[in-house]
Amino acid sequence: MIRLGNVSRHFRRGPDVVKALDRVTLTIADGRFVALMGPSGSGKSTLLNLLSGIDRADEGDVEVAGQRLNGLSEDELAAWRSHHVGLIFQFYNLLPVLTALENVELPLLLAELTADERRRRARTALDVVGLMHERFAQLPGTLSGGEQQRVAIARAIVTDPDLIVADEPTGDLDAKSADAVLALLSELNREFHKAIVLVTHDPRALRWVDEVHHLDKGCLLEGDEAVRATESLEQALGTARVGR
Amino acid sequence: MTYATLLARNLRRNRLRTALTTLSILLAVFLVCAVLTLPSGLAAIVDRMASATRLSVHNKAGIAYLLPYSYLHKIRAVPGVAAATSFMWFGGIYDEPKNMFPNFAVDPDVVGAVWPDYDIDPQTLADFQRHRDAALVGHRTMRTFGWKVGDRVTLRGTAWPVDLDFRIVGELTKNPVWFLFSRVYLEEALRAKGQSADFSGMMWVRVAAADEVEPVMRRIDDLFRNSTAETASETEKSFYQSFMSSLSGLTRIIVMVGFLAVAAVVFIAANSSSMTIRERAAEIAILKALGFRRHTLLALLLGETLLLAAGGGIVGACGAYGLLKLLAYLGATSARPGLGPLSMFEMTGTILLEGIALSLVIGIVAGVIPAWGAARKPVAAAVREVF
């Protein structure tokens, strides 16, 4: 369960204070596949950073998987993230000097596992995301965008986290690869009952997620505003389907 | 995959930069190890040459001033003195002016008694005393000029207006450079030119027992107090140390230059480390987001600089050790006899370890600020900066 209660996050830009999030209250049940949508600068990524323990709220409470994150120090948050959160980024952000398999092993260095066990789990994760075995020993630079994102997803699930957060995971992919990645995330959600929170501009996500939350200017849209935003996206998705 | 794999892969990321940084550290450590052998090398030379029971007696005004030769007999009569010889610098050169080396006129009958530690065999000593033109020559000087026992050589005087022909009767195995010959031979040559030879540059005195050294020095100096040529007695070690101290200023400057080179290398390595870390800001942000804590990241980033510095340091220090050993070997054998003092500087194990420790200090100093800066940055700020 993810609970955000009256959460605000402000940033100082020169003399101005920007309200990236303003008194956001949100609850996400376990095992849900959720999309956070909204225009650029609406606060989606800030919200994602707060519920993944990367950032801390200025006001309000953030509770994820039974852990209240507000009071944790930087190092405590790091330790918590390493066990409870899997992260997926738009540009994959794999370490270019490590092979696909080694990139997936990387978060397991923080767990008390033997080298053999780390390798075994990393192979399993890569099998789950469907990367071909002959790609395991390749460096990220030699993989396609879709393959790199699969490796990034494997890296996010290898620690068996309670929550997977994905920031624009399809933003750098072609339509086919984007669909494949969304399908994979949906499958992980269904098969392993992992809560997945996705930040995206991509209306295709509507076909895969259980619920959508819209943000605008740091506020969560509710009621009619939220319904209109979803309808607008569905229309865009319909247009896209006709276009294809 | 282990942390070591991660370290190794990161070091191989930009091989040219890694190689150049390692090379700069290697050269700095090599240089420092080499110059650190200077003071200890000079001290080792003094220790090797000096005897605990041998004294130098010279003019109190300085070694450039002479002493009356008659002092020798008075010194020999001082209680506690086992043997004493006059010691006169001849300043002879062989063939060309550049071939100058230390050659001295001594009293042949007491050479064995004054320098018993030189282990000159009795037959050689007998030959040295029997022939008025006999010479005993240090092993390195012998090899430098390609001389052998039985050769006849001529030295052209620069301090005295005479040229002298010598027959080499023996080699000094415990003194590398000296060329000793009979004072009587020099006296005769000077008298033939109408010059007096009733003086000596200094005297070497051997004391019968180590605990007699201090009293004997006092007795000798008291003996000539208020005379026209007062004496200053000192142990052989002290004499050589004061002689070598004239080089200490230069040695200090050389050592300082060595450490300045190290300081320059620290800046080069720090710059290299900063660039590496800046280029990897996104990766470091990812590691933080994945849950790597500050101390782990600090250890990883600092570990890279340390590994690189230690690699350069070990090769540099071992290289200096090996090179100086090689020079010592070549100098001690007939392979390259002309190496001179270069072959006398030995690098100790302590200097080797100091060189390696220095490289670790270079690594820490160069790496700690950029690594700490990257490690301590909050994950949110790091993520916001790069995504």
Side-chain angles (χ1 to χ4, degrees), chain A residues 11 54-55 74 78-79 81-82 87 89 93 96-97 102 105 110 118, chain B residues 1 9 283 286-294 378-380 384 387:
Chain A
F11 295 109
I54 285 177
D55 202 359
E74 184 87 6
R81 276 197 309 277
S82 68
L87 294 154
F89 299 93
N93 293 102
V97 291
E102 288 166 343
E105 274 190 73
L110 301 169
R118 287 199 297 267
Chain B
M1 214 266 299
R9 296 284 175 81
E283 289 172 33
I286 287 294
L287 290 174
K288 283 171 186 271
L290 291 178
F292 283 80
R293 293 192 221 180
R294 280 179 291 195
V379 56
R384 267 199 304 274
F387 301 124

PDB file of all heavy atoms in Angstrom, chain A residues 11 54-55 74 78-79 81-82 87 89 93 96-97 102 105 110 118, chain B residues 1 9 283 286-294 378-380 384 387:
ATOM      1  N   PHE A  11      10.559  23.829  -4.567  1.00  0.00           N
ATOM      2  CA  PHE A  11      11.941  24.044  -4.985  1.00  0.00           C
ATOM      3  C   PHE A  11      12.211  25.527  -5.086  1.00  0.00           C
ATOM      4  O   PHE A  11      11.328  26.297  -5.484  1.00  0.00           O
ATOM      5  CB  PHE A  11      12.221  23.392  -6.352  1.00  0.00           C
ATOM      6  CG  PHE A  11      12.118  21.893  -6.325  1.00  0.00           C
ATOM      7  CD1 PHE A  11      11.053  21.243  -6.951  1.00  0.00           C
ATOM      8  CD2 PHE A  11      13.068  21.137  -5.665  1.00  0.00           C
ATOM      9  CE1 PHE A  11      10.952  19.869  -6.915  1.00  0.00           C
ATOM     10  CE2 PHE A  11      12.967  19.752  -5.636  1.00  0.00           C
ATOM     11  CZ  PHE A  11      11.912  19.115  -6.255  1.00  0.00           C
ATOM     12  N   ILE A  54      13.501   8.557  -3.255  1.00  0.00           N
ATOM     13  CA  ILE A  54      14.664   9.299  -3.772  1.00  0.00           C
ATOM     14  C   ILE A  54      14.664  10.702  -3.170  1.00  0.00           C
ATOM     15  O   ILE A  54      15.700  11.245  -2.834  1.00  0.00           O
ATOM     16  CB  ILE A  54      14.611   9.334  -5.321  1.00  0.00           C
ATOM     17  CG1 ILE A  54      15.021   7.963  -5.868  1.00  0.00           C
ATOM     18  CG2 ILE A  54      15.505  10.426  -5.891  1.00  0.00           C
ATOM     19  CD1 ILE A  54      14.942   7.830  -7.370  1.00  0.00           C
ATOM     20  N   ASP A  55      13.510  11.287  -3.033  1.00  0.00           N
ATOM     21  CA  ASP A  55      13.397  12.652  -2.505  1.00  0.00           C
ATOM     22  C   ASP A  55      12.531  12.615  -1.248  1.00  0.00           C
ATOM     23  O   ASP A  55      11.846  11.614  -0.980  1.00  0.00           O
ATOM     24  CB  ASP A  55      12.758  13.549  -3.580  1.00  0.00           C
ATOM     25  CG  ASP A  55      13.082  15.018  -3.362  1.00  0.00           C
ATOM     26  OD1 ASP A  55      13.777  15.333  -2.377  1.00  0.00           O
ATOM     27  OD2 ASP A  55      12.644  15.838  -4.194  1.00  0.00           O
ATOM     28  N   GLU A  74      19.266  10.025   4.672  1.00  0.00           N
ATOM     29  CA  GLU A  74      19.697   9.719   3.305  1.00  0.00           C
ATOM     30  C   GLU A  74      20.152   8.254   3.182  1.00  0.00           C
ATOM     31  O   GLU A  74      19.754   7.542   2.251  1.00  0.00           O
ATOM     32  CB  GLU A  74      20.835  10.684   2.932  1.00  0.00           C
ATOM     33  CG  GLU A  74      21.344  10.561   1.518  1.00  0.00           C
ATOM     34  CD  GLU A  74      20.553  11.396   0.512  1.00  0.00           C
ATOM     35  OE1 GLU A  74      19.670  12.165   0.914  1.00  0.00           O
ATOM     36  OE2 GLU A  74      20.816  11.241  -0.693  1.00  0.00           O
ATOM     37  N   ALA A  78      18.418   5.065   1.331  1.00  0.00           N
ATOM     38  CA  ALA A  78      19.159   4.271   0.336  1.00  0.00           C
ATOM     39  C   ALA A  78      18.998   2.782   0.630  1.00  0.00           C
ATOM     40  O   ALA A  78      18.732   1.978  -0.284  1.00  0.00           O
ATOM     41  CB  ALA A  78      20.631   4.668   0.343  1.00  0.00           C
ATOM     42  N   ALA A  79      19.156   2.427   1.892  1.00  0.00           N
ATOM     43  CA  ALA A  79      19.022   1.022   2.276  1.00  0.00           C
ATOM     44  C   ALA A  79      17.596   0.529   2.012  1.00  0.00           C
ATOM     45  O   ALA A  79      17.383  -0.581   1.508  1.00  0.00           O
ATOM     46  CB  ALA A  79      19.371   0.850   3.754  1.00  0.00           C
ATOM     47  N   ARG A  81      15.456   1.755  -0.229  1.00  0.00           N
ATOM     48  CA  ARG A  81      15.243   1.647  -1.688  1.00  0.00           C
ATOM     49  C   ARG A  81      15.832   0.357  -2.237  1.00  0.00           C
ATOM     50  O   ARG A  81      15.244  -0.301  -3.088  1.00  0.00           O
ATOM     51  CB  ARG A  81      15.938   2.826  -2.413  1.00  0.00           C
ATOM     52  CG  ARG A  81      15.151   4.093  -2.491  1.00  0.00           C
ATOM     53  CD  ARG A  81      15.725   5.030  -3.547  1.00  0.00           C
ATOM     54  NE  ARG A  81      17.148   5.263  -3.433  1.00  0.00           N
ATOM     55  CZ  ARG A  81      17.712   6.147  -2.625  1.00  0.00           C
ATOM     56  NH1 ARG A  81      16.959   6.897  -1.844  1.00  0.00           N
ATOM     57  NH2 ARG A  81      19.012   6.300  -2.592  1.00  0.00           N
ATOM     58  N   SER A  82      17.046   0.020  -1.730  1.00  0.00           N
ATOM     59  CA  SER A  82      17.727  -1.149  -2.298  1.00  0.00           C
ATOM     60  C   SER A  82      16.934  -2.440  -2.081  1.00  0.00           C
ATOM     61  O   SER A  82      17.092  -3.398  -2.823  1.00  0.00           O
ATOM     62  CB  SER A  82      19.128  -1.284  -1.698  1.00  0.00           C
ATOM     63  OG  SER A  82      19.035  -1.627  -0.335  1.00  0.00           O
ATOM     64  N   LEU A  87      13.728   0.565  -9.927  1.00  0.00           N
ATOM     65  CA  LEU A  87      13.634   1.816 -10.696  1.00  0.00           C
ATOM     66  C   LEU A  87      13.893   1.562 -12.179  1.00  0.00           C
ATOM     67  O   LEU A  87      14.832   0.845 -12.542  1.00  0.00           O
ATOM     68  CB  LEU A  87      14.673   2.818 -10.185  1.00  0.00           C
ATOM     69  CG  LEU A  87      14.451   3.321  -8.752  1.00  0.00           C
ATOM     70  CD1 LEU A  87      15.778   3.744  -8.150  1.00  0.00           C
ATOM     71  CD2 LEU A  87      13.493   4.487  -8.737  1.00  0.00           C
ATOM     72  N   PHE A  89      14.233   3.871 -15.831  1.00  0.00           N
ATOM     73  CA  PHE A  89      14.340   5.240 -16.338  1.00  0.00           C
ATOM     74  C   PHE A  89      14.112   5.286 -17.847  1.00  0.00           C
ATOM     75  O   PHE A  89      14.228   4.282 -18.543  1.00  0.00           O
ATOM     76  CB  PHE A  89      15.732   5.809 -16.018  1.00  0.00           C
ATOM     77  CG  PHE A  89      16.017   5.871 -14.550  1.00  0.00           C
ATOM     78  CD1 PHE A  89      16.669   4.815 -13.906  1.00  0.00           C
ATOM     79  CD2 PHE A  89      15.635   6.960 -13.789  1.00  0.00           C
ATOM     80  CE1 PHE A  89      16.924   4.856 -12.555  1.00  0.00           C
ATOM     81  CE2 PHE A  89      15.896   7.014 -12.428  1.00  0.00           C
ATOM     82  CZ  PHE A  89      16.540   5.963 -11.810  1.00  0.00           C
ATOM     83  N   ASN A  93      19.724   3.991 -18.626  1.00  0.00           N
ATOM     84  CA  ASN A  93      20.761   4.259 -17.634  1.00  0.00           C
ATOM     85  C   ASN A  93      21.439   3.009 -17.114  1.00  0.00           C
ATOM     86  O   ASN A  93      21.581   2.791 -15.908  1.00  0.00           O
ATOM     87  CB  ASN A  93      20.210   5.099 -16.486  1.00  0.00           C
ATOM     88  CG  ASN A  93      19.859   6.487 -16.953  1.00  0.00           C
ATOM     89  OD1 ASN A  93      18.676   6.789 -17.162  1.00  0.00           O
ATOM     90  ND2 ASN A  93      20.853   7.303 -17.212  1.00  0.00           N
ATOM     91  N   PRO A  96      27.633   1.493 -18.873  1.00  0.00           N
ATOM     92  CA  PRO A  96      28.140   1.062 -20.174  1.00  0.00           C
ATOM     93  C   PRO A  96      29.319   0.093 -20.101  1.00  0.00           C
ATOM     94  O   PRO A  96      29.608  -0.586 -21.074  1.00  0.00           O
ATOM     95  CB  PRO A  96      28.560   2.371 -20.847  1.00  0.00           C
ATOM     96  CG  PRO A  96      28.787   3.328 -19.738  1.00  0.00           C
ATOM     97  CD  PRO A  96      27.856   2.927 -18.640  1.00  0.00           C
ATOM     98  N   VAL A  97      30.004   0.042 -18.928  1.00  0.00           N
ATOM     99  CA  VAL A  97      31.187  -0.827 -18.830  1.00  0.00           C
ATOM    100  C   VAL A  97      30.819  -2.235 -18.365  1.00  0.00           C
ATOM    101  O   VAL A  97      31.678  -3.118 -18.323  1.00  0.00           O
ATOM    102  CB  VAL A  97      32.251  -0.239 -17.875  1.00  0.00           C
ATOM    103  CG1 VAL A  97      32.873   1.013 -18.471  1.00  0.00           C
ATOM    104  CG2 VAL A  97      31.670   0.042 -16.499  1.00  0.00           C
ATOM    105  N   GLU A 102      25.729  -8.330 -15.908  1.00  0.00           N
ATOM    106  CA  GLU A 102      26.367  -7.634 -14.780  1.00  0.00           C
ATOM    107  C   GLU A 102      25.550  -6.425 -14.342  1.00  0.00           C
ATOM    108  O   GLU A 102      25.479  -6.120 -13.143  1.00  0.00           O
ATOM    109  CB  GLU A 102      27.784  -7.197 -15.171  1.00  0.00           C
ATOM    110  CG  GLU A 102      28.743  -8.371 -15.266  1.00  0.00           C
ATOM    111  CD  GLU A 102      30.047  -8.021 -15.973  1.00  0.00           C
ATOM    112  OE1 GLU A 102      30.094  -6.988 -16.668  1.00  0.00           O
ATOM    113  OE2 GLU A 102      31.008  -8.798 -15.855  1.00  0.00           O
ATOM    114  N   GLU A 105      22.980  -7.707 -12.153  1.00  0.00           N
ATOM    115  CA  GLU A 105      23.559  -8.137 -10.865  1.00  0.00           C
ATOM    116  C   GLU A 105      23.842  -6.962  -9.939  1.00  0.00           C
ATOM    117  O   GLU A 105      23.929  -7.138  -8.718  1.00  0.00           O
ATOM    118  CB  GLU A 105      24.893  -8.861 -11.120  1.00  0.00           C
ATOM    119  CG  GLU A 105      24.771 -10.335 -11.422  1.00  0.00           C
ATOM    120  CD  GLU A 105      26.152 -10.967 -11.410  1.00  0.00           C
ATOM    121  OE1 GLU A 105      26.719 -11.130 -10.309  1.00  0.00           O
ATOM    122  OE2 GLU A 105      26.651 -11.258 -12.499  1.00  0.00           O
ATOM    123  N   LEU A 110      24.236  -5.138  -3.087  1.00  0.00           N
ATOM    124  CA  LEU A 110      23.813  -4.573  -1.804  1.00  0.00           C
ATOM    125  C   LEU A 110      23.099  -5.603  -0.930  1.00  0.00           C
ATOM    126  O   LEU A 110      22.769  -5.319   0.215  1.00  0.00           O
ATOM    127  CB  LEU A 110      22.895  -3.366  -2.045  1.00  0.00           C
ATOM    128  CG  LEU A 110      23.542  -2.243  -2.856  1.00  0.00           C
ATOM    129  CD1 LEU A 110      22.507  -1.221  -3.288  1.00  0.00           C
ATOM    130  CD2 LEU A 110      24.641  -1.567  -2.055  1.00  0.00           C
ATOM    131  N   ARG A 118      23.888 -14.402  -6.844  1.00  0.00           N
ATOM    132  CA  ARG A 118      23.627 -13.143  -7.576  1.00  0.00           C
ATOM    133  C   ARG A 118      23.482 -13.435  -9.067  1.00  0.00           C
ATOM    134  O   ARG A 118      22.573 -12.940  -9.723  1.00  0.00           O
ATOM    135  CB  ARG A 118      24.781 -12.148  -7.351  1.00  0.00           C
ATOM    136  CG  ARG A 118      24.813 -11.518  -5.980  1.00  0.00           C
ATOM    137  CD  ARG A 118      25.647 -10.246  -5.968  1.00  0.00           C
ATOM    138  NE  ARG A 118      27.045 -10.475  -6.292  1.00  0.00           N
ATOM    139  CZ  ARG A 118      27.998 -10.693  -5.404  1.00  0.00           C
ATOM    140  NH1 ARG A 118      27.716 -10.698  -4.125  1.00  0.00           N
ATOM    141  NH2 ARG A 118      29.248 -10.875  -5.784  1.00  0.00           N
TER     142      ARG A 118
ATOM    143  N   MET B   1      29.718 -10.869 -10.725  1.00  0.00           N
ATOM    144  CA  MET B   1      30.189  -9.491 -10.705  1.00  0.00           C
ATOM    145  C   MET B   1      30.415  -9.058  -9.264  1.00  0.00           C
ATOM    146  O   MET B   1      29.586  -9.300  -8.399  1.00  0.00           O
ATOM    147  CB  MET B   1      29.111  -8.612 -11.343  1.00  0.00           C
ATOM    148  CG  MET B   1      29.650  -7.434 -12.112  1.00  0.00           C
ATOM    149  SD  MET B   1      29.746  -5.919 -11.162  1.00  0.00           S
ATOM    150  CE  MET B   1      28.052  -5.648 -10.719  1.00  0.00           C
ATOM    151  N   ARG B   9      36.593  -2.397 -14.309  1.00  0.00           N
ATOM    152  CA  ARG B   9      35.945  -1.945 -15.550  1.00  0.00           C
ATOM    153  C   ARG B   9      35.991  -0.422 -15.654  1.00  0.00           C
ATOM    154  O   ARG B   9      36.186   0.131 -16.718  1.00  0.00           O
ATOM    155  CB  ARG B   9      34.491  -2.399 -15.586  1.00  0.00           C
ATOM    156  CG  ARG B   9      34.316  -3.881 -15.618  1.00  0.00           C
ATOM    157  CD  ARG B   9      34.629  -4.446 -17.011  1.00  0.00           C
ATOM    158  NE  ARG B   9      34.573  -5.890 -16.984  1.00  0.00           N
ATOM    159  CZ  ARG B   9      33.450  -6.577 -17.053  1.00  0.00           C
ATOM    160  NH1 ARG B   9      32.305  -5.958 -17.213  1.00  0.00           N
ATOM    161  NH2 ARG B   9      33.477  -7.891 -16.998  1.00  0.00           N
ATOM    162  N   GLU B 283      25.766   8.059 -14.052  1.00  0.00           N
ATOM    163  CA  GLU B 283      25.929   6.701 -13.497  1.00  0.00           C
ATOM    164  C   GLU B 283      25.963   6.724 -11.976  1.00  0.00           C
ATOM    165  O   GLU B 283      25.414   5.831 -11.319  1.00  0.00           O
ATOM    166  CB  GLU B 283      27.230   6.085 -14.011  1.00  0.00           C
ATOM    167  CG  GLU B 283      27.153   5.732 -15.480  1.00  0.00           C
ATOM    168  CD  GLU B 283      28.491   5.299 -16.023  1.00  0.00           C
ATOM    169  OE1 GLU B 283      29.268   4.696 -15.266  1.00  0.00           O
ATOM    170  OE2 GLU B 283      28.757   5.577 -17.200  1.00  0.00           O
ATOM    171  N   ILE B 286      22.537   7.071 -10.739  1.00  0.00           N
ATOM    172  CA  ILE B 286      21.822   5.787 -10.830  1.00  0.00           C
ATOM    173  C   ILE B 286      22.206   4.875  -9.666  1.00  0.00           C
ATOM    174  O   ILE B 286      21.342   4.244  -9.028  1.00  0.00           O
ATOM    175  CB  ILE B 286      22.144   5.092 -12.178  1.00  0.00           C
ATOM    176  CG1 ILE B 286      21.439   5.814 -13.318  1.00  0.00           C
ATOM    177  CG2 ILE B 286      21.750   3.616 -12.167  1.00  0.00           C
ATOM    178  CD1 ILE B 286      19.935   5.726 -13.254  1.00  0.00           C
ATOM    179  N   LEU B 287      23.508   4.818  -9.379  1.00  0.00           N
ATOM    180  CA  LEU B 287      23.952   3.965  -8.266  1.00  0.00           C
ATOM    181  C   LEU B 287      23.309   4.425  -6.960  1.00  0.00           C
ATOM    182  O   LEU B 287      22.864   3.603  -6.150  1.00  0.00           O
ATOM    183  CB  LEU B 287      25.479   3.995  -8.151  1.00  0.00           C
ATOM    184  CG  LEU B 287      26.242   3.300  -9.282  1.00  0.00           C
ATOM    185  CD1 LEU B 287      27.741   3.533  -9.142  1.00  0.00           C
ATOM    186  CD2 LEU B 287      25.957   1.800  -9.283  1.00  0.00           C
ATOM    187  N   LYS B 288      23.250   5.740  -6.770  1.00  0.00           N
ATOM    188  CA  LYS B 288      22.600   6.266  -5.555  1.00  0.00           C
ATOM    189  C   LYS B 288      21.121   5.860  -5.549  1.00  0.00           C
ATOM    190  O   LYS B 288      20.597   5.409  -4.527  1.00  0.00           O
ATOM    191  CB  LYS B 288      22.677   7.800  -5.531  1.00  0.00           C
ATOM    192  CG  LYS B 288      24.019   8.363  -5.129  1.00  0.00           C
ATOM    193  CD  LYS B 288      24.018   9.863  -5.373  1.00  0.00           C
ATOM    194  CE  LYS B 288      25.357  10.470  -5.126  1.00  0.00           C
ATOM    195  NZ  LYS B 288      25.537  10.895  -3.749  1.00  0.00           N
ATOM    196  N   ALA B 289      20.462   6.034  -6.689  1.00  0.00           N
ATOM    197  CA  ALA B 289      19.030   5.709  -6.763  1.00  0.00           C
ATOM    198  C   ALA B 289      18.804   4.218  -6.502  1.00  0.00           C
ATOM    199  O   ALA B 289      17.814   3.839  -5.877  1.00  0.00           O
ATOM    200  CB  ALA B 289      18.482   6.097  -8.129  1.00  0.00           C
ATOM    201  N   LEU B 290      19.738   3.379  -6.947  1.00  0.00           N
ATOM    202  CA  LEU B 290      19.586   1.934  -6.724  1.00  0.00           C
ATOM    203  C   LEU B 290      19.781   1.564  -5.259  1.00  0.00           C
ATOM    204  O   LEU B 290      19.443   0.454  -4.856  1.00  0.00           O
ATOM    205  CB  LEU B 290      20.596   1.151  -7.568  1.00  0.00           C
ATOM    206  CG  LEU B 290      20.371   1.153  -9.085  1.00  0.00           C
ATOM    207  CD1 LEU B 290      21.483   0.378  -9.776  1.00  0.00           C
ATOM    208  CD2 LEU B 290      19.021   0.542  -9.434  1.00  0.00           C
ATOM    209  N   GLY B 291      20.349   2.495  -4.489  1.00  0.00           N
ATOM    210  CA  GLY B 291      20.489   2.227  -3.059  1.00  0.00           C
ATOM    211  C   GLY B 291      21.921   2.146  -2.563  1.00  0.00           C
ATOM    212  O   GLY B 291      22.153   1.797  -1.402  1.00  0.00           O
ATOM    213  N   PHE B 292      22.884   2.451  -3.442  1.00  0.00           N
ATOM    214  CA  PHE B 292      24.279   2.468  -2.972  1.00  0.00           C
ATOM    215  C   PHE B 292      24.446   3.652  -2.025  1.00  0.00           C
ATOM    216  O   PHE B 292      24.104   4.779  -2.368  1.00  0.00           O
ATOM    217  CB  PHE B 292      25.247   2.587  -4.153  1.00  0.00           C
ATOM    218  CG  PHE B 292      25.415   1.290  -4.899  1.00  0.00           C
ATOM    219  CD1 PHE B 292      24.471   0.873  -5.829  1.00  0.00           C
ATOM    220  CD2 PHE B 292      26.510   0.475  -4.657  1.00  0.00           C
ATOM    221  CE1 PHE B 292      24.604  -0.324  -6.501  1.00  0.00           C
ATOM    222  CE2 PHE B 292      26.657  -0.719  -5.332  1.00  0.00           C
ATOM    223  CZ  PHE B 292      25.706  -1.123  -6.254  1.00  0.00           C
ATOM    224  N   ARG B 293      25.001   3.360  -0.849  1.00  0.00           N
ATOM    225  CA  ARG B 293      25.106   4.418   0.155  1.00  0.00           C
ATOM    226  C   ARG B 293      26.357   5.249  -0.075  1.00  0.00           C
ATOM    227  O   ARG B 293      27.237   4.881  -0.841  1.00  0.00           O
ATOM    228  CB  ARG B 293      25.147   3.794   1.560  1.00  0.00           C
ATOM    229  CG  ARG B 293      23.836   3.136   1.890  1.00  0.00           C
ATOM    230  CD  ARG B 293      23.779   2.793   3.342  1.00  0.00           C
ATOM    231  NE  ARG B 293      23.163   1.485   3.506  1.00  0.00           N
ATOM    232  CZ  ARG B 293      22.981   0.921   4.683  1.00  0.00           C
ATOM    233  NH1 ARG B 293      23.398   1.507   5.774  1.00  0.00           N
ATOM    234  NH2 ARG B 293      22.400  -0.260   4.772  1.00  0.00           N
ATOM    235  N   ARG B 294      26.414   6.370   0.669  1.00  0.00           N
ATOM    236  CA  ARG B 294      27.502   7.327   0.449  1.00  0.00           C
ATOM    237  C   ARG B 294      28.870   6.694   0.678  1.00  0.00           C
ATOM    238  O   ARG B 294      29.790   6.890  -0.113  1.00  0.00           O
ATOM    239  CB  ARG B 294      27.324   8.538   1.376  1.00  0.00           C
ATOM    240  CG  ARG B 294      26.296   9.508   0.840  1.00  0.00           C
ATOM    241  CD  ARG B 294      26.109  10.676   1.741  1.00  0.00           C
ATOM    242  NE  ARG B 294      25.453  10.269   2.982  1.00  0.00           N
ATOM    243  CZ  ARG B 294      24.899  11.108   3.839  1.00  0.00           C
ATOM    244  NH1 ARG B 294      24.943  12.401   3.598  1.00  0.00           N
ATOM    245  NH2 ARG B 294      24.318  10.685   4.933  1.00  0.00           N
ATOM    246  N   PRO B 378      23.145  14.700  -2.248  1.00  0.00           N
ATOM    247  CA  PRO B 378      21.898  13.948  -2.018  1.00  0.00           C
ATOM    248  C   PRO B 378      21.399  13.325  -3.322  1.00  0.00           C
ATOM    249  O   PRO B 378      21.538  13.927  -4.391  1.00  0.00           O
ATOM    250  CB  PRO B 378      20.924  15.016  -1.512  1.00  0.00           C
ATOM    251  CG  PRO B 378      21.779  16.121  -1.018  1.00  0.00           C
ATOM    252  CD  PRO B 378      23.014  16.104  -1.846  1.00  0.00           C
ATOM    253  N   VAL B 379      20.821  12.147  -3.193  1.00  0.00           N
ATOM    254  CA  VAL B 379      20.380  11.407  -4.378  1.00  0.00           C
ATOM    255  C   VAL B 379      19.384  12.216  -5.203  1.00  0.00           C
ATOM    256  O   VAL B 379      19.444  12.219  -6.438  1.00  0.00           O
ATOM    257  CB  VAL B 379      19.824  10.020  -3.977  1.00  0.00           C
ATOM    258  CG1 VAL B 379      18.706  10.136  -2.979  1.00  0.00           C
ATOM    259  CG2 VAL B 379      19.352   9.254  -5.191  1.00  0.00           C
ATOM    260  N   ALA B 380      18.492  12.956  -4.521  1.00  0.00           N
ATOM    261  CA  ALA B 380      17.469  13.722  -5.258  1.00  0.00           C
ATOM    262  C   ALA B 380      18.134  14.784  -6.130  1.00  0.00           C
ATOM    263  O   ALA B 380      17.777  14.959  -7.300  1.00  0.00           O
ATOM    264  CB  ALA B 380      16.506  14.373  -4.275  1.00  0.00           C
ATOM    265  N   ARG B 384      18.040  14.854 -10.128  1.00  0.00           N
ATOM    266  CA  ARG B 384      17.475  16.036 -10.803  1.00  0.00           C
ATOM    267  C   ARG B 384      18.476  16.655 -11.774  1.00  0.00           C
ATOM    268  O   ARG B 384      18.110  17.128 -12.838  1.00  0.00           O
ATOM    269  CB  ARG B 384      17.071  17.094  -9.770  1.00  0.00           C
ATOM    270  CG  ARG B 384      15.610  16.999  -9.334  1.00  0.00           C
ATOM    271  CD  ARG B 384      15.129  18.287  -8.689  1.00  0.00           C
ATOM    272  NE  ARG B 384      15.951  18.667  -7.563  1.00  0.00           N
ATOM    273  CZ  ARG B 384      15.780  18.220  -6.317  1.00  0.00           C
ATOM    274  NH1 ARG B 384      14.851  17.337  -6.064  1.00  0.00           N
ATOM    275  NH2 ARG B 384      16.557  18.636  -5.345  1.00  0.00           N
ATOM    276  N   PHE B 387      18.741  13.953 -14.965  1.00  0.00           N
ATOM    277  CA  PHE B 387      17.583  13.431 -15.716  1.00  0.00           C
ATOM    278  C   PHE B 387      16.562  14.537 -15.962  1.00  0.00           C
ATOM    279  O   PHE B 387      16.388  15.418 -15.172  1.00  0.00           O
ATOM    280  CB  PHE B 387      16.927  12.268 -14.976  1.00  0.00           C
ATOM    281  CG  PHE B 387      17.870  11.132 -14.737  1.00  0.00           C
ATOM    282  CD1 PHE B 387      18.098  10.649 -13.475  1.00  0.00           C
ATOM    283  CD2 PHE B 387      18.573  10.552 -15.798  1.00  0.00           C
ATOM    284  CE1 PHE B 387      18.981   9.603 -13.249  1.00  0.00           C
ATOM    285  CE2 PHE B 387      19.449   9.515 -15.579  1.00  0.00           C
ATOM    286  CZ  PHE B 387      19.655   9.043 -14.311  1.00  0.00           C
TER     287      PHE B 387
END
